Amino acid sequence: MSDADFRLDGRRAVVTGAARGIGRAIAERLAVAGAHVVVADREEAEGNMAVASIEAAGGKGAFISLDVTDPGAVARAVDTIYDEYGPVDVLVNNAGIVRNAPALEMSLDDWKTVIDIDLGGIFHCAQAFGRRMVAAGRGSMVNISSICGEVTVYPQPQVSYNAAKAGVNLLTKSLAVEWAKSGVRVNAVAPGYVGTELTLRGRSNPEWFGTWMQMTPMGRLGEPREIANAVLFLAADASSYITGTVLTIDGGYTAL
């Protein structure tokens, strides 16, 4: 294995939900590895800030507004990206939210919103970009899942998020098997607790945060860059024989 196996020079990557947090770290990391990165997000101002950061570091970036829950919008975004930037080599499905509410109190709207973004959004993007990748006979997709797709975390209630992420894991494996012979690889990264806005509510709750750290053998939060490095590995040729894998990065949480 050489350093070239971790390079993405001349390739185009799309990262959804890349305006902030883990998504932004992934976009910046792929750009450093040589990819031309399209930041796809609903938040235009923050998305353009992410692009500015990529370009300030000497990389190539662009922004496109995207609501992953709208299949029509996804299809139009795919057409625009291919027309303006060329074929996509890497797709990172990162867009996601969480709603913390007990199951008996969760509204139908909250349930549907989380499922539509965290699971439906990944399927819409995977299907739309996948059509192009399968036709071209190449491509790498990385879906951002969570340890919540494998275990029920505690003490926060988040049944919709857990269910969505469990779906992401099996969606990843299903697509990997369907597309394995086409030259398209599909994998997932499952982070534990990472210091981003998504975990801000829990980090500000002493009971929740204390439990999280007690149940994480390394005793600390993950950093967005640590997730981004794993995504680069799965996106690049370094992982050319890996497909259908869910790579857990959680400081040992699920090893207990």
Side-chain angles (χ1 to χ4, degrees), residues 58-72:
K60 296 181 180 179
F63 173 79
I64 188 167
S65 179
L66 180 61
D67 178 355
V68 299
T69 68
D70 182 346

Side-chain angles (χ1 to χ4, degrees), residues 107-139:
S107 69
L108 180 58
D109 283 346
D110 277 353
W111 168 268
K112 291 181 65 177
T113 296
V114 173
I115 297 297
D116 287 350
I117 295 174
D118 292 13
L119 179 56
I122 288 183
F123 175 73
H124 298 321
C125 291
Q127 184 183 56
F129 283 95
R131 287 193 180 103
R132 302 284 192 117
M133 289 182 171
V134 169
R138 61 187 175 83

Side-chain angles (χ1 to χ4, degrees), residues 147-249:
I147 57 171
C148 303
E150 180 182 350
V151 298
T152 302
V153 294
Y154 181 83
Q156 71 275 24
Q158 51 184 50
V159 63
S160 56
Y161 185 81
N162 297 349
K165 293 304 185 179
V168 170
N169 289 352
L170 201 53
L171 173 64
T172 297
K173 293 176 181 291
S174 298
L175 296 178
V177 171
E178 283 194 31
W179 298 343
K181 292 183 179 179
S182 74
V184 177
R185 298 185 296 111
V186 187
N187 292 289
V189 168
Y193 294 109
V194 179
T196 66
E197 289 187 12
L198 193 70
T199 60
L200 182 60
R201 179 182 177 186
R203 288 187 284 126
S204 62
N205 182 316
E207 179 190 1
W208 290 14
F209 187 65
T211 301
W212 296 358
M213 292 300 94
Q214 183 180 12
M215 296 180 70
T216 301
M218 289 184 72
R220 67 171 178 87
L221 293 169
E223 298 180 17
R225 64 174 179 81
E226 294 175 306
I227 311 305
N229 285 335
V231 171
L232 172 61
F233 167 66
L234 291 174
D237 293 342
S239 60
S240 57
Y241 195 54
I242 299 176
T243 196
T245 289
V246 179
L247 177 57
T248 302
I249 306 172

